[in-house]
Amino acid sequence: MILVNNTEDKKDGYIRFICISDTHGKTKFEIPDGDVLIHAGDITKNSRMTEFTETIEWLGSLPHKIKIITGGNHDDYLDDTFNFTKHKQTILALMEKHGLTYLEHESYQLPAEFGSLCLFVSPYAPIHLGGAFMLTDMSEIWNTIPDAVDILVTHTPPFGYQDKVTRYDRHVGCQYLMDKIKRIKPRVCVFGHIHESHGYTLDGTLYINACLNNSRYKPVNKPITFDLFQPRKKKVIDWLIYAVLLFLVYLCIHAYNNNIKPTTTTIEDTVKHDKITTQKAYIRYNQKQPTLTFQQDNGTTYMDFPWYQRSHTRPQFRPNIDLLSTDLSAKDRRILLEKAILQAKKLALRKFPAAEYTTIRGTNLTATQTAAFREKLACWTMGQWIRDEQNSFRLKHLQEPIYSSCDRKFYKTHKQSEKREETKYVWKPHSQACSVSRKVSSSHWCKLLKGRNMLLVGDLAHYQYHELFLDTFRDDPTVCFGELNCKDHTICKHKDTRLRYVRNDVLSTIRKFHNRDQGHPLANIVEWPFVSSNMLSSYPILILSRTTQLDDNDVLFTRRLIHTMKIIRETSPDALVIYQSSSIGHPFCQDAERPLPKELSDDELKRLPYGWSEAKRRNAIAKTIVEASGGIYLDLAAMTDLRPDGHIGQGDCLRYCIPGPLDATMQIYYNVFLELEKGA
């Protein structure tokens, strides 16, 4: 029997549970007394240490004998995938000090005095607003919940119970969790996450949404209590069991004393063994974390790449070895690539109809035309750079000064009539059957856009494409106030067509602002999914891109990109999505004097730093997902990877000067829209 929000004194045989959730750093709540306090996650709002400290100290001051707590999507420091190891250790130590039991997707049995009830507590939730402990695929996470659970505590609600987002009038709970609940039938389910659905429902199982903040983060909701009847066994039986256990212990001790063998192990040996074991476990744990590690430079130099004019040391910051395939042979790396493609296709086809793969959303192309277009697109980007000074396409750069640095340096010692060497090359596809139009007409391009605004979403390195588009469409400079605060720019005046650049981590629904650079996210913090619905509706054309820095594994990359495309398709079904492949950088690019005649060998790719060695496989995964969701995959990396020359230099061997090698990519983009118009 269960009594909910019983204000009378607890009856004999009952255990009183106090349920709270989503306190978000606030502590001014009236918490009734009881036996067991349950906090279902979202301890903080912004995952600050001050929020954790104040909340833990407040919870520690409460009189409840047992206090169980888990994390939520706002509690980034507790999620191991975010790599805040030291912060988490500090928080867990503080919880232990104040008598809190932190549980993270694990079982817990209450002491006998509280009926030995079994709880299972988990912080995980499907991606809804983004954050910690959020998974794109929840189909398997609940399999570890045991069948014999009395009280199930999760941060996410199950689908259909206290999980409605009122402003959208839809349920956002987890269907997989609901399926599991139907099978195991716990007596009580406690959760939070959806603030506006605070309350409870008794439907065989008692479902409790214990959020203490409302949808505007106002602390107006009250804790929900329930008294659970769990009669204890009679005392006579308890004593009999105790006597039997004592007798068994006596027999074990007696048998041990009769068979004991001498040992030479000392206390010092034991301590040393425990220390070594702990160190190894710590090392193994950190090896699983997707972070860059620093390796001391030993002064050795190498002739690693064909553009080197002299040998150089290797970069000291390297990705976790567990994320790399550099120890595999070329054959094994090809097999790994093929497996990654198959896995990506399998997961993508679960989310997108098979018909999406044969069409391109935002166009009128038929399945046959789509197949022909994709073949031509691949043909355009497979070629080589030819020195042809007379026919080279050269933009006049009028925007951000950093991209003009090569010109400024060059014209200090050369005449204005001369051209830098890296601007004298043209891109020529291998096949003459797919030649590209070298002339780019901004006025005609505007007609092809038909008034559709473009949103360019990328990382710090992709801001240069914002500059390229503006140089192509406009003949005057614009003001952008930096790449973190870039406004809309009019690129076609006769039809108000606009271009905007937004960085991935600014739009991310899984924001991580903990590593800050003067208040802004660092350039290496890039999370998927990066889209938010209020942005999408204004931009029918989306150009997506991501740098090649390796900070997640293939599975996480695949799931995040699938989720991104799923959100785009749900929010803006007819958006034209163009995904631009990720390019490698070229270490010590100041040595380079000309384009590469062919792509790097597999051995050379494996020597690239920062995880660039895995770019080809990641691009193949992206191509599979984007095309499966009705988008366009544009492999510009096949062109730019051959250009170690023309970079900004001075340590920046990822971005290029303008004019320079990237000018030709505008020709490819222009031809994309020309070709799409043929199928209109």
Side-chain angles (χ1 to χ4, degrees):
M1 185 174 179
I2 303 176
L3 303 176
V4 183
N5 289 338
N6 180 24
T7 57
E8 299 178 359
D9 291 340
K10 184 184 64 173
K11 298 179 180 179
D12 290 341
Y14 282 84
I15 304 163
R16 178 160 292 179
F17 293 83
I18 313 299
C19 303
I20 62 175
S21 183
D22 295 74
T23 50
H24 291 295
K26 298 181 177 67
T27 59
K28 304 298 183 182
F29 300 102
E30 292 184 8
I31 308 297
D33 194 7
D35 299 307
V36 181
L37 176 69
I38 297 174
H39 192 306
D42 273 358
I43 304 164
T44 69
K45 184 178 181 182
N46 299 305
S47 198
R48 296 193 180 103
M49 281 302 298
T50 53
E51 293 179 291
F52 278 108
T53 302
E54 291 173 2
T55 303
I56 292 169
E57 290 176 349
W58 165 63
L59 292 173
S61 68
L62 298 177
H64 309 80
K65 295 179 181 178
I66 295 178
K67 301 163 189 174
I68 294 170
I69 190 168
T70 191
N73 58 294
H74 283 258
D75 304 323
D76 294 0
Y77 283 167
L78 296 177
D79 188 346
D80 291 336
T81 61
F82 286 175
N83 301 316
F84 296 115
T85 307
K86 291 183 179 179
H87 289 88
K88 183 172 183 178
Q89 290 173 348
T90 302
I91 293 166
L92 295 185
L94 191 62
M95 287 183 177
E96 184 177 1
K97 175 183 176 182
H98 289 278
L100 308 186
T101 300
Y102 175 75
L103 299 172
E104 188 175 303
H105 204 71
E106 55 190 305
S107 297
Y108 178 82
Q109 188 169 29
L110 293 176
E113 63 178 301
F114 298 119
S116 300
L117 293 168
C118 180
L119 286 76
F120 188 89
V121 184
S122 176
Y124 290 103
I127 288 183
H128 166 54
L129 296 173
F133 300 110
M134 307 211 86
L135 304 176
T136 56
D137 184 0
M138 303 290 293
S139 60
E140 297 181 1
I141 189 69
W142 307 121
N143 292 343
T144 53
I145 300 177
D147 292 339
V149 172
D150 297 297
I151 301 172
L152 180 61
V153 181
T154 57
H155 185 59
T156 180
F159 185 85
Y161 288 91
Q162 305 298 141
D163 68 328
K164 181 177 282 190
V165 177
T166 53
R167 60 186 179 277
Y168 300 131
D169 192 31
R170 64 187 179 98
H171 296 280
V172 295
C174 180
Q175 182 62 56
Y176 294 110
L177 177 60
M178 190 67 244
D179 294 342
K180 183 69 174 183
I181 290 171
K182 288 179 180 178
R183 289 195 298 271
I184 65 175
K185 295 180 172 59
R187 298 167 74 177
V188 183
C189 292
V190 182
F191 46 87
H193 193 37
I194 307 303
H195 294 195
E196 53 261 63
S197 285
H198 171 266
Y200 68 91
T201 301
L202 184 58
D203 185 13
T205 295
L206 174 62
Y207 299 91
I208 296 175
N209 183 323
C211 292
L212 295 191
N213 282 280
N214 65 10
S215 59
R216 296 182 179 273
Y217 289 87
K218 301 295 184 183
V220 297
N221 298 331
K222 296 183 180 299
I224 295 177
T225 70
F226 67 92
D227 296 349
L228 193 63
F229 183 65
Q230 187 71 5
R232 295 186 61 194
K233 294 180 175 63
K234 295 181 180 180
K235 289 186 177 181
V236 175
I237 296 177
D238 290 343
W239 279 110
L240 286 174
I241 293 173
Y242 182 67
V244 171
L245 289 174
L246 283 176
F247 180 70
L248 291 174
V249 170
Y250 167 77
L251 291 178
C252 291
I253 293 173
H254 181 72
Y256 176 80
N257 288 334
N258 289 336
N259 295 279
I260 191 167
K261 296 180 180 180
T263 178
T264 58
T265 303
T266 65
I267 294 176
E268 289 77 14
D269 292 334
T270 304
V271 172
K272 183 178 180 181
H273 176 269
D274 290 345
K275 185 176 181 181
I276 292 173
T277 303
T278 303
Q279 288 175 342
K280 287 181 177 179
Y282 179 79
I283 291 170
R284 286 196 301 271
Y285 172 81
N286 280 281
Q287 284 178 341
K288 295 178 182 178
Q289 307 309 306
T291 56
L292 285 174
T293 57
F294 180 82
Q295 296 185 10
Q296 189 64 40
D297 182 11
N298 59 11
T300 306
T301 59
Y302 306 86
M303 286 294 292
D304 278 338
F305 302 108
W307 61 87
Y308 279 11
Q309 296 184 26
R310 61 183 180 86
S311 59
H312 293 283
T313 58
R314 288 173 176 165
Q316 294 169 274
F317 286 95
R318 298 172 190 174
N320 191 303
I321 192 66
D322 288 346
L323 299 176
L324 301 177
S325 61
T326 51
D327 58 334
L328 301 179
S329 66
K331 179 181 178 181
D332 287 340
R333 275 164 58 91
R334 284 195 299 272
I335 293 172
L336 182 64
L337 182 146
E338 291 168 2
K339 287 182 177 179
I341 292 173
L342 289 174
Q343 179 69 6
K345 190 169 185 178
K346 177 182 176 182
L347 293 175
L349 290 177
R350 290 180 184 175
K351 300 294 182 181
F352 308 107
E356 293 281 313
Y357 191 79
T358 60
T359 57
I360 296 175
R361 290 286 190 96
T363 73
N364 294 320
L365 297 183
T366 64
T368 303
Q369 290 173 325
T370 296
F373 171 75
R374 285 175 173 162
E375 286 183 10
K376 182 170 286 189
L377 205 59
C379 184
W380 283 341
T381 55
M382 297 303 295
Q384 63 184 127
W385 294 95
I386 305 297
R387 195 176 189 280
D388 186 351
E389 184 176 350
Q390 299 301 319
N391 295 310
S392 61
F393 176 67
R394 191 172 185 271
L395 289 172
K396 182 179 180 181
H397 183 57
L398 300 169
Q399 315 304 326
E400 183 71 34
I402 188 174
Y403 300 103
S404 304
S405 59
C406 296
D407 266 358
R408 289 197 303 272
K409 182 179 179 181
F410 179 79
Y411 289 118
K412 286 181 179 179
T413 56
H414 294 75
K415 297 178 181 179
Q416 289 292 327
S417 58
E418 298 182 66
K419 295 181 181 179
R420 286 185 289 113
E421 180 64 24
E422 55 266 28
T423 67
K424 298 177 182 179
Y425 291 85
V426 298
W427 176 254
K428 184 178 181 181
H430 288 313
S431 174
Q432 295 182 355
C434 60
S435 59
V436 296
S437 172
R438 292 182 179 176
K439 182 181 178 181
V440 176
S441 169
S442 59
S443 59
H444 186 61
W445 199 342
C446 282
K447 293 179 181 178
L448 299 176
L449 291 176
K450 300 176 181 178
R452 293 175 293 176
N453 300 325
M454 292 197 296
L455 182 65
L456 175 61
V457 185
D459 302 337
L460 180 60
H462 297 104
Y463 183 67
Q464 58 193 334
Y465 281 92
H466 161 271
E467 304 290 285
L468 289 162
F469 277 110
L470 290 178
D471 287 337
T472 303
F473 281 98
R474 298 179 60 124
D475 55 6
D476 59 338
T478 60
V479 179
C480 206
F481 305 108
E483 47 89 19
L484 275 172
N485 190 26
C486 194
K487 62 183 182 66
D488 282 355
H489 302 291
T490 299
I491 54 176
C492 301
K493 294 182 179 179
H494 69 287
K495 285 190 176 181
D496 185 21
T497 307
R498 291 169 287 137
L499 169 74
R500 184 175 184 180
Y501 167 86
V502 183
R503 221 168 78 177
N504 281 339
D505 51 356
V506 176
L507 277 185
S508 174
T509 59
I510 314 179
R511 294 185 183 182
K512 293 193 295 183
F513 289 99
H514 310 287
N515 296 321
R516 291 174 176 266
D517 178 12
Q518 298 180 353
H520 299 301
L522 293 179
N524 63 347
I525 303 175
V526 182
E527 290 290 340
W528 301 72
F530 52 64
V531 292
S532 56
S533 57
N534 61 331
M535 292 287 292
L536 292 179
S537 58
S538 301
Y539 300 93
I541 300 175
L542 301 175
I543 299 176
L544 313 181
S545 49
R546 182 181 178 180
T547 55
T548 51
Q549 180 168 305
L550 196 65
D551 60 354
D552 52 14
N553 57 35
D554 287 352
V555 174
L556 189 57
F557 175 83
T558 300
R559 289 178 173 175
R560 284 176 171 175
L561 182 52
I562 287 174
H563 181 72
T564 296
M565 296 305 300
K566 183 173 180 290
I567 293 294
I568 291 173
R569 289 303 174 219
E570 289 175 350
T571 309
S572 188
D574 295 324
L576 175 62
V577 178
I578 302 174
Y579 183 98
Q580 181 178 303
S581 60
S582 301
S583 302
I584 63 170
H586 301 89
F588 297 99
C589 56
Q590 63 272 15
D591 281 10
E593 295 180 338
R594 62 187 64 86
L596 298 175
K598 60 180 180 179
E599 65 180 20
L600 295 176
S601 67
D602 192 67
D603 285 338
E604 289 168 335
L605 287 173
K606 288 193 287 188
R607 290 197 289 267
L608 286 169
Y610 310 122
W612 295 342
S613 57
E614 316 304 307
K616 182 179 289 188
R617 188 174 69 258
R618 291 298 175 86
N619 283 334
I621 293 172
K623 180 178 187 293
T624 302
I625 295 169
V626 171
E627 292 185 348
S629 57
I632 295 173
Y633 174 81
L634 188 57
D635 190 13
L636 297 182
M639 302 167 59
T640 57
D641 287 355
L642 298 176
R643 294 304 300 265
D645 60 325
H647 285 285
I648 291 175
Q650 301 298 320
D652 189 343
C653 290
L654 193 59
R655 296 181 293 177
Y656 290 91
C657 280
I658 306 173
L662 294 186
D663 296 5
T665 64
M666 290 296 101
Q667 293 175 307
I668 300 297
Y669 268 113
Y670 179 61
N671 278 267
V672 166
F673 285 92
L674 282 175
E675 198 67 24
L676 291 177
E677 182 65 16
K678 294 178 182 179

